[in-house]
Amino acid sequence: MKRKITLKQIARELDVSISTVSKALSNSKEISEDTTQKIQAFAKLYNYKPNNIALSLKNRKTKTIGILIPEIVHHFFSTVIRGIELVANRRGYNVIVGLSNESFTKEIINMEMLANGSIDGFILSISKETLLKQDYHHFNATINQGMPIVMFDRVVNEVDCDKVIVDDFNGSVKAVNKLIENNCKNIALITTMDYVSVGRLRTQGYIEALESHKIIADPNLILKIDDSLDVENHLEDLELEIEQFFKINGSIDGVFAVNELYAVTAMKVARKLGLSIPDNIQVIGFTDGVLSKHATPSLTTVSQHGQKIGEQAANLLIDRLVAADTEDDQYFTNDERKSDFIKVVIETEIIERESTKQFR
């Protein structure tokens, strides 16, 4: 009996990427005919069994939702999972959580594994590496085979599905407006590279808020952190980068950071440089997590309402699954049904704490 083989093993044996194998087995036009035939022949020889999602959905309902997230340590993602689980359990569903660890390859492998009869649909946030590659074939292939996907937080226009996002742009505008109202004159931004959509939108909000007050955004006051590596395992490098940024720009009296790790690190560096918070410098971070509440001083934040995002995402997915059962039809079998995709936008709010001045 021939042993069963996995996508990863096929890729290793033929010295190609998992993405190439995945596309070839789906008859993607992006892969040459010669490569496609070679991969498909090898897969057949070693008894590779691709997902037959449509058959699985037709013959068996698992009443289980697959959640795929980029990382587990962030408070935001744990609150989203809590929201999904609350709604799922109330509506008779279980959840399975998969972790991409910001890896494109792990994202594909997790989807392949979970979609093979284990779940009825996905709720997911895209990995940074996938956003950097701009390769979304695995999402579209899953949807085209009849399995619904709801994306949250990190979403892309190239995939047609329901989406739940936080209002990143206006959340940033609120944060910068708060610093301006508090008499900050030189407001710095600590952000990600632009390929991460949420970082890009928060950067745009920062610039728009300044311009609305007739302040020209100074490129020297924008620090873009290359977080393609695991920043949490390179905290010393992050601290050093922010410290150099502060030393070069000694007039900074306000900081808006696009996540709470950057914000809390900025406060640590400011204290190290002898700056008093909020007297000399005020700081606001995006995401209202555990770090924000327990930092010294406590951090003023833009709340993302992660649990609400999870609840909305779960309701959207389960509504799709229930509708498909009622209609006795597969999910999105024709283009006409693509027009009813829903994008839910969750509003943000400022949670004031000790890192900004309180005016009463």
Side-chain angles (χ1 to χ4, degrees):
M1 180 183 293
K2 297 184 180 74
R3 62 188 175 89
K4 188 174 178 180
I5 200 166
T6 66
L7 278 179
K8 194 171 185 178
Q9 289 169 325
I10 295 172
R12 185 171 64 244
E13 292 293 332
L14 298 181
D15 196 26
V16 295
S17 69
I18 287 176
S19 175
T20 298
V21 175
S22 177
K23 290 177 181 178
L25 294 175
S26 300
N27 292 307
S28 170
K29 300 299 183 185
E30 295 180 43
I31 308 302
S32 70
E33 186 175 346
D34 181 62
T35 301
T36 296
Q37 288 178 353
K38 181 172 71 173
I39 289 171
Q40 290 184 353
F42 189 90
K44 184 177 180 181
L45 176 66
Y46 283 96
N47 198 31
Y48 175 73
K49 300 293 184 184
N51 291 331
N52 191 342
I53 294 173
L55 185 63
S56 172
L57 291 174
K58 184 175 180 181
N59 295 334
R60 177 171 171 263
K61 296 295 178 184
T62 67
K63 301 287 283 185
T64 302
I65 293 170
I67 305 172
L68 190 55
I69 57 172
E71 49 190 323
I72 198 67
V73 295
H74 275 202
H75 178 77
F76 169 68
F77 289 115
S78 65
T79 58
V80 173
I81 291 171
R82 183 192 309 143
I84 294 170
E85 192 167 36
L86 280 171
V87 169
N89 290 344
R90 186 165 65 239
R91 298 185 66 174
Y93 282 77
N94 296 310
V95 301
I96 296 177
V97 180
L99 188 62
S100 71
N101 270 330
E102 303 289 12
S103 162
F104 172 71
T105 298
K106 287 183 179 178
E107 194 170 71
I108 292 175
I109 291 172
N110 270 307
M111 290 192 74
E112 172 82 8
M113 177 185 67
L114 291 174
N116 199 11
S118 299
I119 63 169
D120 298 335
F122 281 104
I123 297 173
L124 60 87
S125 187
I126 305 173
S127 76
K128 285 177 184 173
E129 188 178 6
T130 301
L131 291 169
L132 186 59
K133 288 176 175 288
Q134 297 183 20
D135 184 344
Y136 313 118
H137 79 277
H138 47 306
F139 303 132
N140 287 318
T142 299
I143 292 169
N144 290 338
Q145 290 185 70
M147 179 167 284
I149 289 176
V150 175
M151 290 184 169
F152 72 91
D153 191 45
R154 300 181 194 166
V155 306
V156 290
N157 294 328
E158 291 84 348
V159 180
D160 290 317
C161 65
D162 294 321
K163 293 160 187 170
V164 184
I165 59 172
V166 70
D167 194 344
D168 291 294
F169 178 85
N170 283 314
S172 299
V173 170
K174 290 177 185 177
V176 177
N177 282 343
K178 173 66 179 171
L179 291 171
I180 293 172
E181 290 165 9
N182 283 10
N183 299 318
C184 293
K185 304 299 182 185
N186 296 290
I187 301 171
L189 171 70
I190 304 177
T191 185
T192 62
M193 295 296 178
D194 286 341
Y195 69 85
V196 180
S197 57
V198 294
R200 183 172 64 252
L201 287 167
R202 292 170 192 176
T203 299
Q204 290 170 358
Y206 161 84
I207 294 170
E208 176 71 22
L210 291 178
E211 290 179 348
S212 70
H213 288 83
K214 296 183 170 48
I215 302 170
I216 298 173
D218 182 353
N220 294 320
L221 293 181
I222 299 176
L223 175 62
K224 292 188 177 182
I225 304 291
D226 182 5
D227 59 357
S228 55
L229 295 173
D230 182 2
V231 173
E232 294 192 355
N233 288 328
H234 296 80
L235 284 176
E236 289 184 5
D237 294 338
L238 176 63
E239 286 182 25
L240 182 60
E241 195 167 357
I242 293 175
E243 183 174 343
Q244 291 172 339
F245 176 65
F246 279 179
K247 286 179 177 177
I248 293 170
N249 300 283
S251 62
I252 293 172
D253 58 1
V255 173
F256 171 53
V258 300
N259 60 49
E260 69 173 355
L261 178 62
Y262 292 177
V264 169
T265 305
M267 290 200 300
K268 179 180 179 181
V269 170
R271 292 198 309 275
K272 177 182 176 183
L273 295 175
L275 298 172
S276 173
I277 306 168
D279 296 327
N280 303 132
I281 188 169
Q282 301 181 58
V283 183
I284 298 180
F286 221 105
T287 305
D288 186 40
V290 175
L291 288 177
S292 304
K293 297 179 182 70
H294 297 288
T296 304
S298 58
L299 177 67
T300 294
T301 60
V302 181
S303 177
Q304 286 179 280
H305 302 294
Q307 182 171 323
K308 189 174 181 181
I309 290 173
E311 291 172 356
Q312 292 274 13
N315 276 318
L316 281 174
L317 180 61
I318 295 171
D319 286 348
R320 289 285 181 194
L321 295 170
V322 171
D325 283 344
T326 303
E327 296 168 15
D328 193 27
D329 189 13
Q330 294 303 311
Y331 182 70
F332 306 134
T333 54
N334 59 62
D335 290 338
E336 293 175 356
R337 299 187 64 189
K338 291 185 178 179
S339 62
D340 69 346
F341 290 118
I342 297 169
K343 178 184 276 189
V344 176
V345 181
I346 305 295
E347 294 299 320
T348 61
E349 63 178 319
I350 300 291
I351 308 295
E352 291 191 54
R353 296 196 180 93
E354 296 167 346
S355 67
T356 53
K357 293 178 182 177
Q358 312 293 315
F359 294 96
R360 295 287 182 254

